[in-house]
Amino acid sequence: MRIKHIPVMLIAICAPAFVSAQVNSTSQDIEGLSWKKGLTAQGGGVSFENTFYKGNDSIVNRDPYAFYLTGHLNLNACGVEIPLSFAYSNTSKTYLQSFNRFQIAPKYKWAQLYIGSNSMMFSKYTLAGHQFTGVGAVLTPRNWEISAMYGELNKAVEYDSRKENLNSAAYRRMGYGMKVGYAKNGDEVSAIFFHAKDDKNSLDNPVPDSANLHPQENTAIQIGGKKTLFKNFYVQAEYAISIYNSELRDSLMGNE
């Protein structure tokens, strides 16, 4: 077992900017709730694509046929906008990030919920825009910002000797994290915790040693702050610690 502590510190002087958690998703505000409006569809669309491939390059290993079905539907239920989106592909089983996605993001005042496939940005070092499938929330009461998430970061990809997908095999990876920040008059302070861990029992088929595939675990803790100077500049500092375990299988822990 290897456990590494990786400290990172960043100090910067920059032009004005805003530091906050970001989620790539469409949201809606339900303050205009009215039962009289009922349920209506405000628009949407569906797309279906096919790709065919044939080649003799042994390095390029892909299915000869792939299809991609995507769509979106904007519903309004009693004054609440509910954007739905989905994507489905027959190639989903061969990639870490699934092409099969579903997303919904209701919002009420300063509270927003994310369900399905989303991506969040805590910082450059913790959950930096990584797609996950699960749930997330962002609360912004007054000067506070509280963000949290839990979900699947990578899905399990079984090794298949017939497809020679040695480089694509992967353990299922789950993660959770939280960011708490406070901002006022251009000054900010924040603290972040993030943890990700592979499920060592998520693969049924044995993976050759040549793949160098190991179930891993990582915990990151970060604190940071920003101070505005002379209205046009600010000083920002961040300090992060990463605790990394490169092997979770008990039978090999004594050999590392």
Side-chain angles (χ1 to χ4, degrees):
M1 176 178 66
R2 300 193 191 101
I3 297 180
K4 300 180 181 179
H5 299 263
I6 307 175
V8 179
M9 187 170 185
L10 172 66
I11 300 177
I13 300 178
C14 308
F18 297 95
V19 179
S20 62
Q22 300 175 356
V23 180
N24 296 332
S25 177
T26 303
S27 63
Q28 59 280 337
D29 195 331
I30 65 175
E31 294 184 39
L33 188 64
S34 174
W35 298 106
K36 297 181 180 180
K37 295 182 180 180
L39 177 65
T40 59
Q42 298 179 328
V46 176
S47 173
F48 184 74
E49 299 180 10
N50 296 268
T51 62
F52 299 88
Y53 171 82
K54 183 177 181 180
N56 299 320
D57 191 343
S58 60
I59 299 178
V60 179
N61 181 35
R62 55 179 293 181
D63 295 331
Y65 169 71
F67 69 82
Y68 305 91
L69 177 64
T70 61
H72 68 278
L73 178 63
N74 297 323
L75 298 176
N76 188 297
C78 303
V80 180
E81 293 184 6
I82 307 177
L84 305 176
S85 64
F86 70 90
Y88 181 79
S89 171
N90 64 330
T91 63
S92 177
K93 296 182 179 180
T94 60
Y95 292 91
L96 294 178
Q97 294 297 325
S98 174
F99 284 99
N100 303 335
R101 304 173 185 173
F102 175 79
Q103 183 182 90
I104 183 172
K107 179 181 180 182
Y108 178 71
K109 295 183 178 180
W110 42 260
Q112 187 157 10
L113 179 66
Y114 299 90
I115 303 173
S117 297
N118 298 285
S119 61
M120 298 181 71
M121 174 74 75
F122 284 177
S123 76
K124 297 179 181 179
Y125 313 107
T126 50
L127 196 68
H130 195 295
Q131 179 192 330
F132 69 93
T133 301
V135 295
V138 177
L139 308 178
T140 56
R142 296 188 178 182
N143 299 320
W144 290 91
E145 182 180 288
I146 303 172
S147 305
M149 60 75 60
Y150 173 80
E152 183 183 65
L153 300 169
N154 287 333
K155 68 185 185 68
V157 178
E158 294 283 355
Y159 169 69
D160 190 339
S161 59
R162 296 170 300 178
K163 295 183 178 181
E164 299 181 352
N165 65 334
L166 192 63
N167 296 328
S168 301
Y171 289 94
R172 186 188 188 208
R173 178 170 298 170
M174 301 296 294
Y176 58 88
M178 184 174 186
K179 175 180 179 180
V180 178
Y182 182 85
K184 186 175 182 180
N185 299 327
D187 300 332
E188 300 179 8
V189 62
S190 64
I192 299 172
F193 174 85
F194 177 75
H195 178 79
K197 183 178 181 180
D198 291 339
D199 181 358
K200 61 183 180 182
N201 300 316
S202 58
L203 295 182
D204 296 325
N205 301 330
V207 180
D209 294 337
S210 57
N212 195 29
L213 179 64
H214 308 280
Q216 305 171 44
E217 183 178 17
N218 180 243
T219 299
I221 302 173
Q222 179 180 325
I223 58 174
K226 187 184 78 169
K227 178 65 177 179
T228 302
L229 303 173
F230 312 115
K231 296 183 179 181
N232 296 320
F233 297 92
Y234 68 83
V235 176
Q236 179 176 317
E238 297 176 352
Y239 183 79
I241 298 177
S242 177
I243 304 173
Y244 172 64
N245 185 348
S246 63
E247 178 57 77
L248 295 178
R249 292 175 294 187
D250 296 336
S251 60
L252 297 179
M253 289 177 63
N255 298 326
E256 292 290 337

